Amino acid sequence: MHVKKLHPWRLSYEEAVRVQEQLRHKIRLDPLTEQIQLVAGADVSCERNNRFSYSSVVVFTFPDLELIEEINASLEEDFPYIPGLLTFREAPVLIKAFQKLRNTPDVILFDGQGIAHPRGIGLASHMGLILGLPTIGCAKTRLTGKHGTVPEEKGGYSLLESQGRTIGAVLRTRERVKPMFISPGHKITLKESIRIVLETCRGYRLPEPTRQAHLAVNRFRIVKSEHF
DNA sequence: GCGACAG
DNA sequence: ATCTTGTCGC
């Protein structure tokens, strides 16, 4: 897959923030232009003791969700986890996987925020800009924003708001489980994001793309680290 | 100054 | 995220 040249990643905190503040203005939240035929999920796993990070990208047909491709990658990790700067820790190894991907997904789900971010550019949004593809942020917990009570039934949601702006939705993807924090990443609307997440949920809290990417990256990490 | 804080 | 066993509930 074609992947745009990446920014220098060896950045200080201030430089990383500057990159985000400059890039946020390129994010577009227009409706999807293509019919969704391929949906992908991506996730990263890091080892506390080891100095490597691992990533997996899985591609499914939509809406049948038949797996057609899985790509893994590993990379030496150099950036720490800092709330708000997750992109600079996880994007490098994700990019390495996307560069090897043969299919071009119509939309990609990420384990993190889209625009529901202090500077409006979470991992999903940043990856959307790098890849030039529609992306959705599917986070398990809140980073920023306020919201009301989330309806108990599956599909129920409460809007996530910040500074008077709607930045996402707190969505119940399954009954009796904590809701997910969904936000558009790039080239997609919140409404479409919610629809795609719900249509890719298969009885679990996480939508299949990110759930399968999570399982895949853990399988990959075990095999890779045991084989040295 | 204090609390909050994706993975 | 990671470290970790069993256990309670639908």
Side-chain angles (χ1 to χ4, degrees), chain A residues 9-21:
Chain A
W9 297 103
R10 304 256 176 184
L11 305 170
S12 65
Y13 179 93
E14 292 75 16
E15 291 170 331
V17 167
R18 211 168 299 135
V19 168
Q20 292 183 328
E21 289 176 337

Side-chain angles (χ1 to χ4, degrees), chain A residues 161-182:
Chain A
E161 303 183 359
S162 178
Q163 301 168 157
R165 306 287 303 165
T166 295
I167 58 175
V170 190
L171 177 67
R172 190 82 63 184
T173 53
R174 181 188 172 174
E175 288 188 8
R176 299 183 193 82
V177 296
K178 291 192 304 178
M180 298 280 297
F181 290 74
I182 307 303

